[in-house]
Amino acid sequence: MARPRVLSGIQPTADSFHLGNYLGAVRQWVTLQETHDAFYCVVDLHAITVPTEPAALRRRSRVAAAQLFAAGLDAERSTVFVQSHVREHTELAWILICLTGMGEAGRMTQFKDKSAKFGESAASVGLFTYPILQAADILLYQANAVPVGADQKQHLELTRDLGQRFNHRFGDTFTLPEPYILKEVEKITDLQDPTAKMSKSSSSPAGILDVLEQPGPLRKKIMRAVTDTGTEVLFDEENKPGISNLLRIQSALTATPIPELVARYEGQGYGTFKKDVAEAVLETFAPIRERTEKLLSDEKELDRLLAVGAERAATVARQTMAAVRDRVGFLPTL
Ligand code: TRP
């Protein structure tokens, strides 16, 4: 039996992944490559839905790819590639755009949130069609499952709807993917505002832990993380969101159940606990940072790895698109 296929994407919009990206996505992608036929893409086409400097995009695309390999994705086992290298993404997106109702696209809550920042009329049409491009990413590879955070659920529903609509109208072409919602326990919040998600776009620098950051600043941020009144290390999301977040981080990084951690730190106060959290973060990040730096120091080799991924991805994408073109009624090219 063939392994089930997964596909996921991550945007190259920052100079480093943060702890939320790592625990919420990247680390689980690494695990999934053991059991699945895994396709992971750096979604640069999605990144340009908001204004982006070319030099920054180029740098961040390489940094993102390097971090994926450094975190443990294996170029042999997984297909790691850059979205824009496979032209079929934009081609399928156009066809799906033509199958999407204005009202249907207008209901996407992430567009509403993201466009609120510039005002809806200043947002690009690309940002509006973002979820349709995402649907193309997924359907192109006939993915069975899509490992994403809970915030992507609506986009996956749209993907299924569009796939189903195409199949219904033009004949069975696409596999309808199941969401594979990544574990909620690993929801990581802002160190300075522990009720808000750790996020590149909304967290302050002090609230975010970057994978590529140096040990000194990382340690400092954890020691200065907002904690709650009281002195006991207890898991209580409501009254102790700061400590609960640190417990979740420590638990995820050291594979220790939270109750065991709570027992371990009984009577020890926040200081000792935070020091240990910092050590766990450094132990995880330091080797990834070192491997990322090494990969980035040889751009040619990194670009070669990405070319291999792109070729593997394109083999699948071309096959899907040949069927799509024919079913839609486009003339063959001779
Ligand atoms: N929208 C996703 C996010 O912000 C990124 C993404 C783009 C993606 N294309 C995808 C995720 C395809 C899964 C599958 O996290």
Side-chain angles (χ1 to χ4, degrees):
M1 260 284 282
R3 295 173 160 210
R5 182 169 290 161
V6 288
L7 176 133
S8 198
I10 194 156
Q11 289 203 63
T13 45
D15 287 311
S16 171
F17 293 152
H18 58 68
L19 182 66
N21 302 135
Y22 177 71
L23 290 178
V26 177
R27 190 175 78 160
Q28 309 195 49
W29 293 6
V30 175
T31 310
L32 281 167
Q33 74 181 347
E34 307 293 336
T35 49
H36 289 68
D37 178 19
F39 284 69
Y40 298 123
C41 90
V42 174
V43 292
D44 53 350
L45 298 170
H46 280 103
I48 65 163
T49 56
V50 296
T52 303
E53 278 300 324
L57 181 61
R58 222 169 268 130
R59 184 180 71 241
R60 289 168 172 174
S61 295
R62 286 206 182 92
V63 168
Q67 286 175 101
L68 293 178
F69 292 124
L73 287 182
D74 174 354
E76 287 296 315
R77 262 181 303 174
S78 296
T79 302
V80 178
F81 66 105
V82 175
Q83 187 187 29
S84 66
H85 286 173
V86 183
R87 307 293 196 274
E88 284 77 5
H89 288 252
T90 36
E91 192 181 356
L92 180 57
W94 176 255
I95 293 167
L96 297 177
I97 282 171
C98 296
L99 291 180
T100 310
M102 283 294 284
E104 189 177 30
R107 282 192 292 276
M108 296 294 119
T109 57
Q110 200 166 61
F111 171 73
K112 288 184 205 167
D113 295 344
K114 285 193 182 175
S115 62
K117 255 196 266 172
F118 334 81
E120 215 171 277
S121 61
S124 72
V125 177
L127 189 65
F128 186 65
T129 58
Y130 176 117
I132 310 171
L133 176 61
Q134 183 171 348
D137 299 341
I138 298 163
L139 295 172
L140 205 45
Y141 298 95
Q142 311 288 355
N144 303 104
V146 183
V148 280
D151 63 334
Q152 296 295 308
K153 238 177 143 169
Q154 198 187 27
H155 291 172
L156 284 194
E157 277 158 26
L158 178 72
T159 302
R160 287 177 59 88
D161 288 347
L162 291 175
Q164 198 158 29
R165 191 170 306 156
F166 188 101
N167 287 349
H168 188 74
R169 207 169 287 178
F170 301 109
D172 237 352
T173 308
F174 294 120
T175 302
L176 300 183
E178 300 292 336
Y180 179 105
I181 301 300
L182 298 170
K183 281 179 254 156
E184 266 278 79
V185 267
E186 299 189 347
K187 198 172 70 190
I188 302 306
T189 60
D190 186 324
L191 298 183
Q192 291 300 316
D193 176 7
T195 57
K197 187 174 156 181
M198 185 180 286
S199 141
K200 188 227 135 217
S201 54
S202 59
S203 299
S204 67
I208 212 171
L209 297 171
D210 279 330
V211 173
L212 302 182
E213 207 164 0
Q214 294 297 324
L218 280 173
R219 206 175 269 127
K220 210 178 272 174
K221 285 184 191 179
I222 294 165
M223 297 312 289
R224 290 181 186 167
V226 167
T227 39
D228 317 286
T229 49
T231 53
E232 279 177 279
V233 177
L234 292 174
F235 191 79
D236 176 348
E237 298 256 36
E238 196 147 310
N239 300 307
K240 285 176 169 273
I243 290 294
S244 300
N245 187 39
L246 294 176
L247 277 167
R248 256 196 314 265
I249 292 171
Q250 174 80 331
S251 166
L253 291 176
T254 62
T256 314
I258 288 176
E260 202 175 313
L261 293 174
V262 170
R264 183 185 307 167
Y265 293 104
E266 202 185 323
Q268 296 211 49
Y270 292 161
T272 317
F273 169 56
K274 281 175 148 182
K275 253 190 221 140
D276 289 354
V277 174
E279 283 322 302
V281 169
L282 294 183
E283 249 175 60
T284 307
F285 283 5
I288 300 177
R289 174 170 46 79
E290 284 157 20
R291 284 194 291 266
T292 301
E293 284 166 0
K294 191 151 171 267
L295 283 154
L296 289 171
S297 72
D298 188 352
E299 254 174 30
K300 250 175 96 181
E301 172 58 13
L302 180 60
D303 290 353
R304 190 192 64 80
L305 288 176
L306 291 173
V308 169
E311 192 42 48
R312 266 200 336 230
T315 306
V316 179
R318 281 187 210 117
Q319 207 176 341
T320 302
M321 273 317 293
V324 167
R325 274 194 216 109
D326 179 56
R327 294 195 176 140
V328 168
F330 293 158
L331 290 175
T333 51
L334 290 180

